[in-house]
């Protein structure tokens, strides 16, 4: 599998469902506007975990139909940022620290195996593809698009598996990383993101040198540092939906 992983994961994650059918009435743009506004409000700690997202209120704020609002909520739910509770409505997901810890624990094991495989089997083209990816990460660090930055940082790990044709592993990693998306979006500072990307570079140097013990140690330290930077933060208070999103238009 030699396609660009970023393009692949991007397409899968951000493909707006049914968007092509709705293009005539401008639905994708409205959907994206709502997705971006809610994501930004979460990132900026203006919307707290557990906050209720009332369809009617959102439709009123953005002047769109509830169908459009529902599409936005589905898209956010697919990214694990929103929880859809049958009969109760939509809520900003409540990130569980325990779940995040479990995710990191599983990732540490899988990624030790991944590093071994990469050192043993990767071609120089695979190393070049990772370098190109880290260049994109570094370019994204200075920009305000926190969601894009978070995806890119996770994609580095997925790309390693994809380059080796380890499709099952790459899907598992994608799923694990996306389960921590809300935690990452809320709690990862831009400084931590810079560190994360710099660590990718060090790991990459060890991979290129086929230094398996060093690459494994660096990967282990990287995942532990990421976990620590995400999981020790206080919760934020709930705020009124209309107040938060009504002003951000
Ligand atoms: Zn990483």
């Amino acid at each position: 599998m030699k396609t660009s992983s970023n393009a692949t994961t991007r397409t899968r994650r951000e493909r707006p469902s049914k968007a092509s059918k709705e293009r005539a009435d401008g639905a994708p743009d409205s959907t994206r506007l709502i997705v971006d506004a809610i994501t930004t409000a979460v990132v900026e700690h203006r919307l707290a975990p557990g906050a209720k997202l009332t369809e009617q209120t959102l439709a009123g704020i953005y002047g769109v139909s509830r169908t459009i609002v529902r599409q936005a909520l589905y898209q956010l739910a697919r990214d694990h940022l929103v929880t859809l509770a049958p009969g109760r409505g939509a809520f900003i997901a409540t990130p569980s620290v325990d779940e995040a810890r479990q995710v990191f624990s599983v990732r540490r094991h899988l990624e030790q195996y991944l590093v071994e495989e990469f050192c043993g089997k990767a071609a120089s083209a695979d190393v070049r593809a990772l370098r190109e990816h880290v260049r994109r990460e570094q370019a994204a660090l200075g920009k305000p698009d926190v969601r894009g930055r978070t995806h890119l940082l996770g994609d580095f790990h997925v790309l390693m598996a994809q380059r080796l044709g380890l499709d099952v592993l790459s899907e598992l990693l994608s799923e694990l990383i996306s389960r921590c998306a809300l935690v990452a979006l809320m709690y990862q500072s831009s400084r931590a993101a810079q560190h994360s990307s710099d660590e990718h570079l060090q790991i990459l140097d060890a991979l290129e040198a086929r230094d398996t013990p060093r690459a494994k140690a660096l990967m282990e330290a990287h995942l532990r540092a990421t976990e620590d930077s995400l999981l020790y933060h206080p919760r934020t208070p709930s705020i009124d939906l209309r107040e938060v999103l009504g002003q951000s238009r």
Side-chain angles (χ1 to χ4, degrees):
M1 152 144 348
K2 301 293 171 192
T3 50
S4 152
S5 115
N6 190 40
T8 311
T9 40
R10 259 291 110 148
T11 308
R12 189 176 63 73
R13 279 189 192 146
E14 295 188 357
R15 186 193 309 132
S17 53
K18 299 177 194 162
S20 51
K21 289 179 205 153
E22 310 261 1
R23 194 159 293 150
D25 61 15
D29 284 347
S30 309
T31 305
R32 175 160 289 277
L33 181 73
I34 298 170
V35 167
D36 287 348
I38 291 176
T39 304
T40 305
V42 169
V43 168
E44 294 174 353
H45 295 222
R46 287 181 289 118
L47 265 182
K52 187 163 170 58
L53 300 168
T54 321
E55 280 181 16
Q56 191 65 55
T57 308
L58 287 169
I61 291 171
Y62 292 100
V64 297
S65 69
R66 290 176 68 158
T67 307
I68 303 286
V69 171
R70 223 167 284 147
Q71 279 178 11
L73 294 175
Y74 281 135
Q75 200 169 319
L76 288 159
R78 214 176 42 211
D79 266 1
H80 297 266
L81 299 185
V82 158
T83 304
L84 301 175
R88 293 175 47 231
F91 302 83
I92 298 294
T94 308
S96 149
V97 168
D98 182 54
E99 180 183 319
R101 281 195 195 292
Q102 290 183 38
V103 166
F104 274 102
S105 172
V106 176
R107 272 188 69 185
R108 278 201 299 275
H109 286 94
L110 291 178
E111 300 215 28
Q112 289 294 296
Y113 163 73
L114 176 56
V115 165
E116 267 182 27
E117 287 291 296
F118 200 94
C119 281
K121 296 181 182 162
S124 53
D126 300 321
V127 175
R128 277 201 302 278
L130 282 181
R131 283 222 182 273
E132 177 52 35
H133 183 86
V134 175
R135 258 195 290 279
R136 281 206 299 275
E137 282 179 11
Q138 298 273 336
L141 287 171
K143 296 180 185 158
D145 177 12
V146 176
R147 188 163 172 258
R149 176 188 87 191
T150 303
H151 277 167
L152 273 172
L153 287 172
D155 285 348
F156 174 82
H157 299 261
V158 176
L159 178 57
M160 280 177 64
Q162 284 182 335
R163 292 298 309 191
L164 298 178
L166 300 172
D167 294 344
V168 172
L169 183 54
S170 87
E171 278 169 30
L172 283 172
L173 281 178
S174 269
E175 169 65 20
L176 288 170
I177 291 166
S178 128
R179 281 182 79 151
C180 280
L182 182 60
V183 175
L185 284 174
M186 287 184 67
Y187 298 141
Q188 186 170 62
S189 65
S190 53
R191 192 168 167 278
Q194 175 74 56
H195 270 265
S196 215
S197 184
D198 292 346
E199 285 163 10
H200 286 172
L201 266 182
Q202 293 174 347
I203 293 168
L204 189 48
D205 287 341
L207 291 174
E208 187 166 33
R210 301 294 193 266
D211 186 340
T212 309
R214 179 170 164 75
K216 284 173 80 172
L218 286 170
M219 181 62 90
E220 178 78 8
H222 169 60
L223 291 175
R224 287 195 185 273
T226 306
E227 180 177 354
D228 288 348
S229 76
L230 295 183
L231 296 184
Y232 296 101
H233 292 271
R235 292 288 164 86
T236 49
S238 288
I239 300 175
D240 176 63
L241 190 58
R242 197 179 293 277
E243 189 186 315
V244 171
L245 296 174
Q247 286 176 353
S248 70
R249 296 200 62 195

